[in-house]
């Protein structure tokens, strides 16, 4: 299998974590923002990544979107399962996954790229890196006002996740689900921002644990050694 991705995308990380948890062998092809459209639009009709190419007879040619990739992986390789055996719990897991995917992952993007453009500029001050950051900020309308709204959304998200993870090792039920993978992947960019690392140590401890369960290298800011 081949995963088309942006190497730094937290949505692509989510797809990799699903592949890793399922122990599916795959390769990655890193694309450049903007130029990636020429590669992915003919395959999916969309402009977004990740895109998984199973490259297996009898399987779809291309699967776009991290959520759809997780659904495909569950049918392709049912064990170990990311779906909870209880229908109501699995419905709840999908609701959390959708909330994390559509709202919290976007909030993370806004806060992260604002940080990389200002306080965190020295993480990679190269011209190429700063050009990518500028393109992303312009594309998504990232500015001080939109970032403040995103920060408020994150505070509410941390409150909800804290309640769930303090009661249980998992967000829903008694096993890893699409909700846990989504939270661990989509909040991972915040590990580079000191105020979040210092303010929510429990969150990053759980992100590390889930990455290890999914055989995925830890994100920047959490890497060991």
């Amino acid at each position: 299998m081949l995963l088309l991705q942006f190497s730094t995308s937290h949505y692509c990380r989510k797809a990799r974590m699903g592949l890793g948890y399922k122990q599916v062998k795959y390769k990655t092809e890193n694309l450049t923002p903007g130029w990636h459209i020429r590669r992915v639009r003919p395959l999916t009709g969309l402009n977004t990544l990740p895109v998984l190419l199973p490259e297996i007879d009898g399987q779809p040619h291309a699967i776009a979107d991290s959520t759809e990739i997780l659904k495909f992986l569950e049918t392709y390789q049912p064990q170990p399962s990311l779906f909870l055996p209880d229908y109501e719990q699995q419905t709840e897991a999908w609701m959390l996954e959708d909330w994390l995917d559509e709202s919290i992952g976007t909030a993370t993007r806004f806060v992260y790229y604002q940080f990389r453009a200002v306080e965190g500029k020295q993480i990679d001050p190269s011209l190429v890196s700063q050009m990518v950051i500028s393109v992303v900020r312009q594309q998504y309308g990232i500015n001080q006002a939109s970032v403040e709204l995103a920060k408020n959304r994150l505070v509410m998200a941390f409150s909800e996740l804290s309640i769930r993870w303090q009661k249980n090792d998992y967000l829903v039920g008694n096993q890893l689900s699409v909700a846990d993978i989504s939270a661990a992947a989509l909040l991972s960019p915040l590990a580079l921002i000191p105020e979040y690392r210092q303010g929510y140590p429990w969150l990053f401890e759980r992100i590390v644990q889930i990455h290890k369960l999914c055989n995925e290298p830890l994100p920047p800011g959490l890497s060991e050694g």
Side-chain angles (χ1 to χ4, degrees):
M1 294 193 184
L2 178 65
L3 182 69
L4 306 181
Q5 66 166 12
F6 297 137
S7 61
T8 59
S9 165
H10 51 334
Y11 288 95
C12 295
R13 177 176 294 275
K14 177 182 161 191
R16 293 198 307 270
M17 291 175 72
L19 286 158
Y21 185 69
K22 292 290 189 178
Q23 300 179 37
V24 173
K25 293 183 179 180
Y26 70 99
K27 296 180 180 180
T28 58
E29 180 180 331
N30 294 325
L31 303 181
T32 302
W35 292 100
H36 75 283
I37 295 173
R38 297 185 179 185
R39 179 79 164 96
V40 302
R41 187 181 287 171
L43 295 170
T44 67
L46 303 172
N47 298 336
T48 57
L49 291 174
V51 171
L52 182 66
L53 308 180
E55 300 180 320
I56 300 171
D57 289 342
Q59 299 296 340
H61 177 60
I63 303 150
D65 186 79
S66 61
T67 299
E68 295 305 313
I69 289 171
L70 294 182
K71 291 178 180 178
F72 164 75
L73 291 173
E74 190 70 11
T75 60
Y76 173 74
Q77 187 150 302
Q79 298 298 326
S81 181
L82 279 172
F83 287 13
L84 302 172
D86 181 87
Y87 175 79
E88 290 186 1
Q89 288 184 341
Q90 181 56 36
T91 299
E92 184 179 359
W94 277 127
M95 290 177 64
L96 281 173
E97 188 272 350
D98 185 67
W99 168 62
L100 289 159
D101 203 72
E102 298 297 327
S103 178
I104 306 309
T106 300
T108 298
R109 177 190 287 133
F110 276 50
V111 171
Y112 173 75
Y113 278 102
Q114 178 75 356
F115 171 76
R116 288 294 308 277
V118 188
E119 303 100 315
K121 188 174 183 178
Q122 292 308 309
I123 291 173
D124 185 354
S126 68
L127 179 60
V128 171
S129 177
Q130 293 306 308
M131 286 180 62
V132 170
I133 290 169
S134 178
V135 167
V136 171
R137 283 168 54 81
Q138 183 176 9
Q139 178 181 358
Y140 291 102
I142 299 175
N143 53 47
Q144 191 60 48
S146 61
V147 168
E148 288 304 316
L149 293 173
K151 286 183 176 181
N152 291 337
R153 271 193 280 165
L154 289 176
V155 170
M156 290 188 290
F158 297 152
S159 177
E160 174 67 20
L161 296 177
S162 175
I163 292 170
R164 289 175 177 271
W165 270 333
Q166 284 179 358
K167 292 180 179 178
N168 198 339
D169 287 338
Y170 305 103
L171 292 176
V172 185
N174 295 311
Q175 69 181 63
L176 194 76
S177 74
V178 294
D180 297 290
I181 283 184
S182 298
L186 300 179
L187 292 168
S188 65
L190 301 177
L192 280 173
I193 304 178
E195 67 176 281
Y196 290 104
R197 284 289 304 278
Q198 295 163 11
Y200 303 93
W202 59 268
L203 173 67
F204 297 101
E205 289 173 5
R206 194 64 186 128
I207 286 175
V208 167
Q209 293 168 355
I210 295 170
H211 273 71
K212 290 180 177 178
L213 286 174
C214 294
N215 303 296
E216 171 69 15
L218 297 181
L222 296 176
S223 300
E224 298 175 320

